[in-house]
Amino acid sequence: MLAGARRAAPTTAPGRLFGPTSETDVNQQVQLIENSISRGADAIVLAPNSSDALNNAIKRARDGGTKVVVVDTAVTTDAEGFIGTDNVKAGEQAGKTLCELATKAASRPAAC
């Protein structure tokens, strides 16, 4: 996500786009959120690597007036927005489609 943001905004947000050196390091993500709060960021766009490990940091950011939008992984605390797939709905749709295709291909109705 960071690489794409840097390509899309090379001159409009110099020094404002940063991310962890490892996408699996929760502590580094928490530190980046804390740094953003300290810098007075108006907003944070975050691709959390856990649905709940960043909740306290996200809450502190929001309590301080920073807007938080999460991408790819929904969190279990409030945020201004989520950009990603509803995996439950996607699974339901995939199952329905699979059942329909199996029923069409079978010589007898599929047990769906």
Side-chain angles (χ1 to χ4, degrees), residues 34-86:
E34 298 293 344
N35 289 347
S36 296
I37 295 167
S38 296
R39 292 178 182 185
D42 294 323
I44 298 169
V45 178
L46 173 69
N49 58 15
S50 167
S51 61
D52 59 2
L54 303 175
N55 285 354
N56 289 336
I58 291 169
K59 183 173 178 355
R60 282 191 297 279
R62 294 186 75 240
D63 287 349
T66 302
K67 307 291 185 198
V68 178
V69 175
V70 293
V71 178
D72 290 335
T73 300
V75 292
T76 56
T77 191
D78 291 335
E80 275 62 39
F82 170 69
I83 301 168
T85 303
D86 179 336

Side-chain angles (χ1 to χ4, degrees), residues 9-27:
T11 58
T12 58
R16 295 182 184 179
L17 300 173
F18 50 91
T21 55
S22 170
E23 291 183 6
T24 60
D25 189 340
V26 173
N27 292 328

